[in-house]
Amino acid sequence: MATDSELVYLDNNATTPIRPEVLEAMMPFLSRNFANASGAYRLSREARQAIDVAREQVAALIDARPEEIVFTSGGTESDNTAIASSVFCQPDRRLLVGSEVEHPAILSHFEQLKADRDYQLTLVPVDESGCLNEPAYEKALEGGPALVSLMWANNETGVLFPVREAAEKARASGAFFHTDAVQAMGKVPVSVKDSEIHFLSMSGHKFHAPKGVGALYVNRQARLHPYVIGGGQEQDRRGGTENVAGIVGLGKASELARTELEAGGDAKVAAMRDRLEENLIRELSDVERNGHPEKRLPNTASVAFKGIEAQGLLIMLDQEQICASAGSACHTGSLQPSRILSAMGMSAERATSTVRLSVSHLTTDEELERAIACIVESVKRLRKLRTGGQVVRAT
Ligand code: PLP
């Protein structure tokens, strides 16, 4: 059994550790400076200035202007705000367009609008490598949607959508265009410059800032109807006393991400992910990669190990302090293949044998070696147990 210090964290698409520099930047606003940023005294002015700096740092990461950044509580709120605002501002349009593999933060809101307010939904399919079916997308636009929402990168497979091109195509249809870029931030360059993107969502905890803070980019020409209303904060675009420490953390994480991407950090992360995949493929039989081999995030590996159940593998990895996640969810004892892998036309067997391993620039070579050895050993054991008639299942 591994000790705590041997923890190997390969679940960076679920959440990420807060970077020490981010924590350091936040600390004054969790201790000495507890002020409400709207106050009329020096302490408040300091907090307000820190928010202003963060707004510039976040804007710089996506080539936006500071006034186009609205701070929120995270990706879910940013997604929901873009949807609610678009629907409010285009009341005569009754169609919403997304893809079949959007996050529940989008799809649940879409479903609710369909059930409660009679909206029509068109969810564009993906192909077997997880890429957007572009002819189907173009066809969907003919319906004159109020909003198109397409994710920048998929959370399970890391597959990238051609978002800037999709926004360009959406322009002629008169729709608002939103992208959920929660998984892309800090992993690949993301730019809204000279694009037709009206709204972009991001979430701090996916790129080394804390949970509970995020941002919505709102193009300066797009109208935003606030979703969270209250004290008039964020220029009346998002009510609620500002989470100063969280916002400062998001700003610092954005600054660090930008510096690293400019220095080619994404290529280094990709090399690590490739080494992980290649070792697993070399040392085990019947291992398959899911998702497009090139058009994907540099940090994400979605790997199917034929003949095993991912939940069983995760239990064994957990015992060795290795954190990963499955392409399936365990509901009341039965394994449900992931919605995303199913949308790619994958068999239930392959989907339920899929594990998502997501690294970051903080993952070390030693950690990677230990993870490879443990995964190889565990898969071999599970396959042996299976041929012996036993199956390791999640409880
Ligand atoms: N969108 C995507 C693609 C995500 O992966 C997530 C988080 O898992 C979210 C939205 C929600 O973000 P948050 O956890 O900040 O609400």
Side-chain angles (χ1 to χ4, degrees):
M1 182 82 69
T3 64
D4 260 11
S5 61
E6 287 172 322
L7 185 105
V8 180
Y9 187 71
L10 300 181
D11 205 13
N12 286 280
N13 286 12
T15 196
T16 55
I18 299 178
R19 293 178 65 143
E21 304 95 314
V22 169
L23 193 58
E24 198 188 325
M26 291 170 62
M27 278 315 281
F29 300 96
L30 290 168
S31 50
R32 183 184 60 78
N33 189 335
F34 51 86
N36 187 319
S38 302
Y41 29 84
R42 188 183 51 78
L43 214 54
S44 291
R45 281 196 299 278
E46 249 178 62
R48 172 64 54 205
Q49 275 161 10
I51 291 176
D52 291 344
V53 170
R55 207 183 298 282
E56 282 168 20
Q57 291 165 320
V58 172
L61 182 60
I62 58 169
D63 299 325
R65 296 183 185 200
E67 64 273 20
E68 293 175 314
I69 301 299
V70 178
F71 291 115
T72 66
S73 66
T76 301
E77 186 191 317
S78 296
D79 285 352
N80 277 278
T81 302
I83 297 172
S85 173
S86 303
V87 163
F88 182 90
C89 295
Q90 301 241 57
D92 299 335
R93 290 175 171 240
R94 308 298 303 171
L95 172 66
L96 304 167
V97 171
S99 80
E100 282 188 349
V101 296
E102 294 304 311
H103 191 268
I106 299 290
L107 292 182
S108 304
H109 200 154
F110 274 15
E111 291 294 346
Q112 199 183 70
L113 287 166
K114 181 180 172 185
D116 297 351
R117 294 172 57 191
D118 242 4
Y119 271 82
Q120 289 183 344
L121 304 186
T122 301
L123 298 182
V124 179
V126 293
D127 65 17
E128 69 282 357
S129 63
C131 294
L132 191 72
N133 180 326
E134 294 193 34
Y137 173 57
E138 282 162 30
K139 183 99 190 79
L141 294 177
E142 288 170 13
L147 170 70
V148 174
S149 184
L150 291 176
M151 67 203 321
W152 200 291
N154 187 267
N155 41 308
E156 280 191 32
T157 60
V159 172
L160 300 162
F161 279 169
V163 167
R164 289 177 60 100
E165 294 83 338
E168 187 75 41
K169 287 177 188 165
R171 178 169 64 163
S173 77
F176 282 107
F177 187 93
H178 166 253
T179 182
D180 175 339
V182 165
Q183 288 292 342
M185 300 309 302
K187 296 175 186 159
V188 285
V190 169
S191 173
V192 294
K193 195 165 183 216
D194 299 329
S195 81
E196 297 297 333
I197 297 167
H198 295 106
F199 305 114
L200 176 147
S201 299
M202 68 175 86
S203 170
H205 74 100
K206 304 287 185 179
F207 65 113
H208 307 287
K211 293 160 191 62
V213 66
L216 180 68
Y217 156 80
V218 182
N219 180 283
R220 62 192 173 282
Q221 274 148 23
R223 192 174 149 214
L224 180 77
H225 183 72
Y227 186 54
V228 178
I229 50 176
Q233 289 86 351
E234 296 292 281
Q235 314 264 7
D236 275 332
R237 294 178 297 178
R238 198 274 185 180
T241 303
E242 293 92 339
N243 170 5
V244 182
I247 289 169
V248 167
L250 182 66
K252 188 71 189 170
S254 300
E255 183 191 80
L256 294 169
R258 184 162 154 247
T259 309
E260 255 143 35
L261 285 168
E262 280 172 4
D266 44 342
K268 276 195 217 137
V269 171
M272 191 151 34
R273 186 271 318 275
D274 292 348
R275 186 147 68 88
L276 173 63
E277 285 181 341
E278 282 155 18
N279 274 280
L280 295 174
I281 290 169
R282 195 176 52 238
E283 300 206 20
L284 290 164
S285 58
D286 291 325
V287 176
E288 286 177 297
R289 288 181 247 220
N290 302 320
H292 195 281
E294 283 106 41
K295 294 179 192 165
R296 59 177 176 154
L297 292 173
N299 81 317
T300 309
S302 170
V303 189
F305 299 95
K306 194 172 179 192
I308 66 138
E309 282 186 353
Q311 298 291 345
L313 177 56
L314 294 184
I315 293 168
M316 293 177 78
L317 295 181
D318 184 33
Q319 283 163 359
E320 294 298 326
Q321 300 275 18
I322 294 173
C323 309
S325 68
S328 57
C330 195
H331 293 298
T332 56
S334 75
L335 288 180
Q336 302 291 318
S338 110
R339 181 177 56 75
I340 287 156
L341 300 180
S342 301
M344 290 161 65
M346 199 174 286
S347 68
E349 196 202 348
R350 178 161 165 179
T352 53
S353 73
T354 289
V355 170
R356 180 186 71 186
L357 304 161
S358 44
V359 300
S360 85
H361 67 282
L362 298 178
T363 312
T364 64
D365 286 346
E366 295 70 36
E367 289 171 353
L368 207 64
E369 292 310 320
R370 197 168 88 70
I372 292 166
C374 278
I375 296 169
V376 168
E377 160 79 12
S378 305
V379 169
K380 284 184 179 164
R381 271 182 57 203
L382 283 167
R383 284 181 174 162
K384 223 174 185 169
L385 282 172
R386 201 180 165 99
T387 46
Q390 285 172 272
V391 177
V392 177
R393 269 184 172 274
T395 50

